[in-house]
Amino acid sequence: SSIGRSYLLVDLISGTDATYPSDKPKSCIDYIFCLNNKAKVKLTGSSVISSLEGLEMAENSDHLPVLVLLRYK
């Protein structure tokens, strides 16, 4: 999907999985957008991270981080 004004368009490239609150996520309020400037990248994956190498994200923030994987075309 695209949002924006005529001089600035952005594309939502992250998913819409719940990110808040981090201990029991119910709402998606964290997103990653990309300027629609014809960049030669392709989205290859998107996820919300709840833990990483044994570290629980809920212990460090009230939001869960969003990760996107991009590949240059």
Side-chain angles (χ1 to χ4, degrees):
S1 65
S2 293
I3 63 171
R5 298 181 182 156
S6 60
Y7 64 90
L8 176 66
L9 291 176
V10 294
D11 292 321
L12 174 64
I13 60 172
S14 61
T16 56
D17 293 335
T19 59
Y20 180 84
S22 61
D23 59 342
K24 294 182 182 175
K26 296 177 185 170
S27 301
C28 180
I29 60 172
D30 299 284
Y31 303 93
I32 297 177
F33 293 92
C34 179
L35 287 175
N36 188 359
N37 61 0
K38 305 198 187 312
K40 296 184 179 192
V41 294
K42 178 181 179 182
L43 177 67
T44 60
S46 174
S47 64
V48 173
I49 301 172
S50 59
S51 65
L52 180 65
E53 295 182 4
L55 178 66
E56 293 298 320
M57 297 299 160
E59 296 174 2
N60 298 288
S61 176
D62 59 342
H63 296 251
L64 293 176
V66 177
L67 169 74
V68 294
L69 301 173
L70 301 173
R71 180 178 53 175
Y72 287 100
K73 294 181 182 178

